[in-house]
């Protein structure tokens, strides 16, 4: 039986999302925002976040990047598995990620999105995990920062399990 230690409870996640949503709503007032969720991990986070945004024009799309193997290591070779189809030229984009670890996935995805000519690209992540950062990624909006460890729940998986947990846990394997 794996060992789960709570990191963020359901009501804490909810409070963080409300806080971030207020900031984003303020920052993007009167602009055309496109939220680009990174599949699959960001599906719950994006769904909860978008419902709290007080903005008139919000579009939603998804990207998927592949990571090799079903283990706890991040891949250094990022490959695009699913592209966006909303036209982001001249628009303001926020990439919505579950967790930023090395930052290599986001670096790749941001470079890719920039080829479409958006007005701006910012980053919103549920968890900003600092210890293994290899790329200079700025997380503009984050629920929480952790130093290290492998987290599951609320979209985050271990070998595709535990995404359905309503809270976030540290998983000791
Ligand atoms: P990065 O390229 O190292 O930043 O990796 C980011 C991706 O690795 C995330 O989008 C997750 O899919 C996965 N990942 C990194 N850390 C964790 C974790 O603690 N739990 C679950 N997935 C993780
Ligand atoms: Mg991910």
């Amino acid at each position: 039986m794996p060992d789960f230690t709570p990191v963020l409870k359901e009501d804490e996640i909810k409070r963080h999302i409300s806080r971030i949503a207020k900031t984003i709503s303020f920052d993007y007032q009167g602009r055309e925002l496109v939220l680009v969720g990174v599949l699959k991990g960001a599906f719950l986070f994006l769904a909860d976040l978008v419902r709290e945004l007080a903005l008139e024009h919000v579009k939603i799309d998804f990207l998927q990047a592949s990571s090799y193997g079903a283990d706890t290591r991040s891949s250094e070779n990022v490959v695009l598995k699913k592209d966006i189809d909303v036209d982001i030229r001249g628009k303001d984009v926020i990439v919505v990620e579950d967790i930023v670890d090395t930052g290599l996935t986001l670096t790749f995805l941001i470079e890719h999105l920039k080829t479409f000519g958006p007005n701006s690209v910012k980053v919103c992540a549920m968890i900003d995990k600092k210890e293994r950062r290899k790329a200079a990624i700025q997380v503009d909006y984050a629920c929480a920062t952790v130093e290290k460890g492998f987290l599951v729940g609320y979209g985050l998986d271990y070998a595709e399990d535990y995404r359905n947990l309503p809270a976030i846990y540290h998983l000791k394997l």
Side-chain angles (χ1 to χ4, degrees):
M1 187 60 190
D3 175 358
F4 294 99
T5 313
V7 172
L8 281 181
K9 298 193 191 92
E10 252 184 291
D11 63 319
E12 290 170 327
I13 295 171
K14 211 169 150 49
R15 263 186 280 131
H16 282 296
I17 290 176
S18 299
R19 170 179 58 79
I20 290 172
K22 279 202 187 78
T23 311
I24 293 176
S25 301
F26 178 81
D27 292 351
Y28 289 84
Q29 210 54 246
R31 288 156 73 179
E32 276 190 63
L33 179 62
V34 185
L35 292 184
V36 176
V38 184
L39 294 172
K40 300 172 206 171
F43 80 112
L44 288 177
F45 180 44
L46 186 141
D48 286 341
L49 177 68
V50 75
R51 282 179 284 185
E52 298 237 10
L53 294 178
L55 291 170
E56 204 176 329
H57 294 288
V58 184
K59 293 184 170 66
I60 292 157
D61 208 340
F62 293 95
L63 274 176
Q64 188 167 18
S66 80
S67 60
Y68 294 108
D71 62 19
T72 61
R73 282 174 297 130
S74 282
S75 169
E76 307 221 350
N77 301 308
V78 186
V79 177
L80 194 69
K81 266 173 99 179
K82 188 232 169 280
D83 208 345
I84 52 166
D85 48 45
V86 166
D87 182 9
I88 61 168
R89 180 166 299 277
K91 303 228 168 68
D92 293 303
V93 173
I94 298 180
V95 185
V96 181
E97 251 288 32
D98 50 3
I99 186 163
V100 184
D101 185 11
T102 63
L104 295 170
T105 307
L106 263 184
T107 302
F108 173 86
L109 293 177
I110 289 169
E111 285 315 304
H112 173 69
L113 288 170
K114 282 185 175 167
T115 65
F116 294 108
N119 182 53
S120 67
V121 182
K122 293 214 171 185
V123 173
C124 175
M126 211 156 62
I127 307 284
D128 186 358
K129 190 160 73 175
K130 301 281 193 187
E131 193 191 59
R132 304 197 304 166
R133 194 63 47 84
K134 288 183 183 159
I137 282 285
Q138 190 191 332
V139 180
D140 302 285
Y141 308 97
C143 283
T145 297
V146 300
E147 275 311 306
K148 55 185 173 188
F150 196 81
L151 309 186
V152 295
Y154 194 69
L156 292 163
D157 75 305
Y158 171 61
E160 298 297 330
D161 278 331
Y162 313 125
R163 291 194 199 274
N164 60 312
L165 298 177
I168 298 176
Y169 300 87
H170 177 247
L171 178 65
K172 216 187 287 157
L173 298 159

